[in-house]
Amino acid sequence: MKHRCKKIALFSHFSKNAMKKVQKIFKVRNYSAGSIIFSQNSKGDYIYIIVSGFVKIFRSSNTGIALKTLSILKKNEFFGEMALFDNAGRSASAKAITDVEVVACSRKDFLELLSEYPQTCLVIISMLASRLREADKEISALTFQNSLGRLAMILCDLASKHGVKKNKDILIDIELTHQDLAEMAGTAREVITKIISTFKKANCIKFDGKKMLITDIKKIKGWIY
């Protein structure tokens, strides 16, 4: 536990004494790939920080038929914090994409930690501001971009956040299905399949097993307007 928390960005400014507090209140939890960590509208009483693996944050329609992926989070990122501050239910669901290890803290203990070490609030505010900017960008994409432009933006964001250099290409280091991309773009899977075919014919992307390789990021950006 000590080794896990020490490397988490949220606690990078903590003293040794402060880390002792963190180690007492944060508990390790493990989730297998595909499992739901928490559901939309459920009571929010824990904050989670990812130690390893990927977590999808998504919302579902009132009928539960349509899904919209809001973000894919990786190591060192936190989630579930909104419900801790406003006492409302979860605004979205969280699902383990891969096997996931997190450290989790109850609402009561976390608010006490913030009270004792208020500098942590600045780190959280900075991270929340970054997420708001991402939300603004997504709203703009839904308003002004067609499906092709939205997928191009998503691929550029994935390359920036999860991309790994592989020779001259960029490997998006997550296995994503056409349905996953459709839920991120807010469109039908069949539409995404056609757009991916367009990108492949334009020699912008190819596949390494189940992972996507972006071979021409500039050309993909050219579809964004």
Side-chain angles (χ1 to χ4, degrees):
M1 180 66 189
K2 181 178 179 180
H3 179 70
R4 293 177 177 91
C5 288
K6 194 173 183 180
K7 293 186 176 181
I8 293 171
L10 191 60
F11 309 126
S12 60
H13 62 285
F14 273 29
S15 65
K16 288 184 178 180
N17 286 335
M19 283 305 301
K20 289 179 181 179
K21 171 79 171 180
V22 169
Q23 291 154 21
K24 286 181 180 179
I25 63 176
F26 276 84
K27 307 299 181 184
V28 176
R29 293 186 181 181
N30 290 281
Y31 298 90
S32 57
S35 61
I36 297 295
I37 299 172
F38 57 71
S39 299
Q40 185 175 325
N41 298 321
S42 63
K43 182 181 178 182
D45 50 6
Y46 277 85
I47 183 172
Y48 302 82
I49 304 173
I50 302 171
V51 176
S52 65
F54 295 97
V55 173
K56 177 170 74 173
I57 306 299
F58 67 97
R59 285 184 59 84
S60 58
S61 63
N62 290 335
T63 60
I65 296 174
L67 299 178
K68 176 67 175 73
T69 297
L70 303 177
S71 60
I72 294 177
L73 304 179
K74 60 181 179 178
K75 181 179 178 179
N76 274 348
E77 294 188 289
F78 62 84
F79 60 98
E81 77 290 340
M82 286 179 61
L84 298 186
F85 296 113
D86 61 11
N87 285 315
R90 296 291 189 190
S91 61
S93 300
K95 180 179 180 179
I97 297 178
T98 61
D99 289 344
V100 171
E101 181 178 304
V102 301
V103 287
C105 180
S106 71
R107 179 180 189 275
K108 176 180 177 296
D109 287 338
F110 189 70
L111 292 181
E112 285 181 1
L113 182 72
L114 293 184
S115 177
E116 192 170 351
Y117 302 99
Q119 65 268 39
T120 308
C121 294
L122 296 177
V123 181
I124 292 175
I125 290 170
S126 175
M127 291 180 178
L128 291 179
S130 176
R131 290 181 184 178
L132 282 174
R133 283 193 292 271
E134 288 298 315
D136 287 343
K137 186 164 62 175
E138 184 164 343
I139 291 169
S140 177
L142 290 170
T143 304
F144 301 114
Q145 299 287 336
N146 58 19
S147 296
L148 192 149
R150 291 203 299 276
L151 183 58
M153 288 184 69
I154 288 166
L155 294 184
C156 288
D157 286 343
L158 287 170
S160 175
K161 189 173 182 180
H162 302 291
V164 177
K165 276 285 187 180
K166 189 169 184 180
N167 298 320
K168 294 181 179 180
D169 303 328
I170 302 172
L171 175 70
I172 298 177
D173 200 22
I174 314 175
E175 292 184 6
L176 295 171
T177 65
H178 289 195
Q179 183 61 41
D180 291 328
L181 293 170
E183 290 172 7
M184 296 175 77
T187 189
R189 180 185 57 78
E190 294 79 8
V191 173
I192 294 298
T193 299
K194 289 179 181 179
I195 296 172
I196 287 177
S197 178
T198 298
F199 287 166
K200 288 172 72 175
K201 288 177 182 177
N203 295 317
C204 295
I205 64 171
K206 60 184 179 181
F207 286 85
D208 183 359
K210 294 183 179 179
K211 295 182 180 180
M212 186 184 295
L213 276 166
I214 296 180
T215 56
D216 194 333
I217 192 77
K218 289 183 178 179
K219 194 176 285 187
I220 287 180
K221 288 179 179 178
W223 270 293
I224 302 170
Y225 57 90

